[in-house]
């Protein structure tokens, strides 16, 4: 075992948490060694703050291994007896089919969520589900996903404990598994995605042995069959909501797992999976998606998901677009309906712009008045832009709206393989123009029923044409009155 000190000490609140836990041991005479495990240790060694505190328990209670559930109830008693805010105890049940082999207890201490689980060793016979028994710190460290996540902080000694090669790998920026990668991945195939995420997050190189194991067909099979869509979605979302999305996707493709990560899934009315189909990106579609993400250069999950789906669904029938996006994002990745809905709005709004929109010549700074307005070559482009801006609005609770026309312009531009600076310039011009920036919330000067009465037209196609003509006028001329509209429509 190698030992090190944290480069910066625990925060005041973290020290309160650790003192509370030591107080629990002392008050109830518990012979239990407490270590913070995993992400918190890694992040603190890197100088980052973290609230991801998982406590690994080593010890016995009444002749049996101390469990997270038992220990958390001692903590709750301690909180109550010492006048501290008592916390609700939650339990995450073991689920071997999803590679969750031990029950975990969770509760709050000093306002921070803390997980408790005992150290363990996992032994495999013929089944892929291990025999789990109490383990030593070294055994527990070796069954973890990566060496940089297998470090412990002993709250009794104030030491970082390394039972693998985590300290050197963190220093040298290497992603490595404690055991041979095939063994680690068979235990939980999601760890393959975690290798990708942490390599991209911290700018690490991946151990060549992992790169070889990542191509293994059996690993691909168990990743597809054993890991839930929600767990895949959580890992993928974290990667796509970052500036390292490009490298993550490139690694997916090089490993051959992009068709496992991205699937079109259909559900029954009761929410059960009925069928899955890999999203079979052509080389051109995949490269186009990467080019779009690279050009837009955003850490927005919504935008990056749209970039991935847009080339694949380009040309899809309007009636099928919503359903297919939902199958890929909501059902396939367990992305929230809200985020998937944003992608739908952006793609639909982009279709409001004609195919040749970025080739059209128009000048937003050119102003029209009642006297100077005439049919001109830039009217169709200005009108299409305004229609898109009005469509690209997401309805939010309490009658609030979120305007998505900026995102739509970026997607439309890159989807059509136009330099993204064209879209960014247009966005700046719109934001600087008091007239155009109000387009998303622009109301018609005259409603349909008013036009019916004033123009003496029957309800039907004629009124629809009149409303469209009025909208076009409003896109060109500010401060129109009802008399102005009627005069233009009658003319």
């Amino acid at each position: 075992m190698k030992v090190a000190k944290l480069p910066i000490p625990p925060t005041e609140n973290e020290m309160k948490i650790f003192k509370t836990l030591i107080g629990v041991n002392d008050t109830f005479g518990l012979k239990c060694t407490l270590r913070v495990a995993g992400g918190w240790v890694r992040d603190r060694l890197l100088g980052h703050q973290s609230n991801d505190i998982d406590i690994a328990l080593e010890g016995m209670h009444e002749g049996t291994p101390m469990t997270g559930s038992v220990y958390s109830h001692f903590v709750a008693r301690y909180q109550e007896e010492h006048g501290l805010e008592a916390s609700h105890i939650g339990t995450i049940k073991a689920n071997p089919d999803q590679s969750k082999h031990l029950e975990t207890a969770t509760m709050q201490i000093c306002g921070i969520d803390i997980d408790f689980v005992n150290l363990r060793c996992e032994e495999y016979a013929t089944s892929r589900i291990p025999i789990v028994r109490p383990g030593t710190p070294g055994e527990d460290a070796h069954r973890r996903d990566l060496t940089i996540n297998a470090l412990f902080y002993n709250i009794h000694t104030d030491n970082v404990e390394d039972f693998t090669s985590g300290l050197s790998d963190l220093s040298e920026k290497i992603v490595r598994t404690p055991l041979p990668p095939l063994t680690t991945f068979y235990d939980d195939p999601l760890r393959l995605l975690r290798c990708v995420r942490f390599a991209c997050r911290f700018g690490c190189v991946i151990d060549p042995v992992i790169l070889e194991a990542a191509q293994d067909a059996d690993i691909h099979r168990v990743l597809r069959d054993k890991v839930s869509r929600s767990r895949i979605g959580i890992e993928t979302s974290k990667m796509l909501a970052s500036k390292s999305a490009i490298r993550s996707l490139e690694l997916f493709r090089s490993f051959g797992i992009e068709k496992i990560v991205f699937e079109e899934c259909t559900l029954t009315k009761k929410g059960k999976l009925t069928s899955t189909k890999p999203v079979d990106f052509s080389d051109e579609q995949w490269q186009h998606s990467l080019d779009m993400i690279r050009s837009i250069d955003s850490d927005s999950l919504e935008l990056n998901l749209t970039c991935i789906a847009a080339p694949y669904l380009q040309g899809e029938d309007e009636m099928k677009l919503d359903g297919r996006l939902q199958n890929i994002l909501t059902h396939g990745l367990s992305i929230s309906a809200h985020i998937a809905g944003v992608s739908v709005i952006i793609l639909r709004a982009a279709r409001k712009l004609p195919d040749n929109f970025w080739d059209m010549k128009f000048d937003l700074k050119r102003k029209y008045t009642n006297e100077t307005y005439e049919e001109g070559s830039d009217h169709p482009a200005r009108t299409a832009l305004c229609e898109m801006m009005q469509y690209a609005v997401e309805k939010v609770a309490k009658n609030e709206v979120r305007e998505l026309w900026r995102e739509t312009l970026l997607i439309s531009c890159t989807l059509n393989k136009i330099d993204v600076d064209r879209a960014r310039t247009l966005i700046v011009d719109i934001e600087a123009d008091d007239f155009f920036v109000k387009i998303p919330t622009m109301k018609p000067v005259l409603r349909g029923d008013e036009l019916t009465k004033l123009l003496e037209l029957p309800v039907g196609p004629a009124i629809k044409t009149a409303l469209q003509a009025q909208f076009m006028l409003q896109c060109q001329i500010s401060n129109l009155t009802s008399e102005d509209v009627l005069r233009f429509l009658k003319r």
Side-chain angles (χ1 to χ4, degrees), residues 130-141:
I131 299 169
V132 180
R133 62 168 177 78
T136 65
E139 289 172 328
D140 189 277

Side-chain angles (χ1 to χ4, degrees), residues 116-243:
F116 295 94
V117 67
N118 55 293
L119 294 173
R120 62 195 185 272
C121 177
E122 297 167 355
E123 298 175 340
Y124 292 81
T126 56
S127 170
R128 65 174 175 80
I129 298 176
I131 299 169
V132 180
R133 62 168 177 78
T136 65
E139 289 172 328
D140 189 277
H142 279 85
R143 60 97 199 157
R144 292 180 178 267
D145 58 357
L146 302 172
T147 58
I148 61 173
N149 295 335
L151 297 161
F152 294 105
Y153 170 72
N154 188 316
I155 71 173
H156 308 278
T157 64
D158 188 34
N159 284 331
V160 174
E161 300 172 346
D162 180 13
F163 295 89
T164 62
S165 57
L167 287 170
S168 60
D169 288 342
L170 194 62
S171 175
E172 296 171 14
K173 291 193 171 184
I174 298 174
V175 163
R176 195 191 316 273
T177 54
L179 297 174
L182 288 177
T183 302
T184 297
F185 296 156
Y186 272 122
D187 174 27
D188 183 358
L190 189 71
R191 290 171 174 173
L192 178 55
L193 270 64
R194 289 174 62 82
C195 285
V196 173
R197 179 161 70 87
F198 286 111
C200 295
R201 177 180 172 184
F202 297 118
C204 298
V205 298
I206 298 178
D207 184 357
V209 184
I210 291 178
L211 297 176
E212 182 179 353
Q215 313 283 341
D216 189 89
D218 283 339
I219 295 298
H220 292 183
R221 177 182 55 79
V222 292
L223 175 62
R224 179 183 292 107
D225 297 342
K226 183 179 178 182
V227 182
S228 70
R229 298 308 307 173
S230 62
R231 293 184 73 211
I232 289 176
I234 289 169
E235 288 296 323
T236 304
S237 295
K238 290 176 180 178
M239 289 182 250
L240 295 181
S242 73
K243 288 296 187 72

Side-chain angles (χ1 to χ4, degrees), residues 301-303 305-307 309-310 313 317-330 335-352 388 391-394 402 404 407-408 411:
L301 174 61
E302 299 157 332
L303 263 180
L305 284 170
T306 306
C307 288
L313 296 176
D317 182 84
E318 193 79 12
M319 299 297 291
K320 296 180 180 179
L321 182 65
D322 294 21
R324 293 196 67 188
L325 259 178
Q326 187 179 50
N327 289 344
I328 296 171
L329 302 183
T330 307
I335 299 294
S336 72
H338 164 73
I339 292 177
V342 168
S343 288
V344 170
I345 291 171
I346 292 173
L347 283 183
R348 281 187 170 276
R351 294 187 180 204
K352 294 290 182 182
M388 181 279 288
Y391 187 89
V393 172
E394 178 195 16
R402 176 186 174 191
L404 298 167
E407 292 87 341
T408 300
I411 290 295

Side-chain angles (χ1 to χ4, degrees), residues 97 282 430:
D97 282 340
S282 68
I430 292 172

Side-chain angles (χ1 to χ4, degrees), residues 27-28 76-84:
T27 298
F28 300 108
R77 282 177 57 189
Y78 182 88
Q79 289 174 323
E80 185 177 354
E81 292 175 7
H82 286 75
L84 304 175

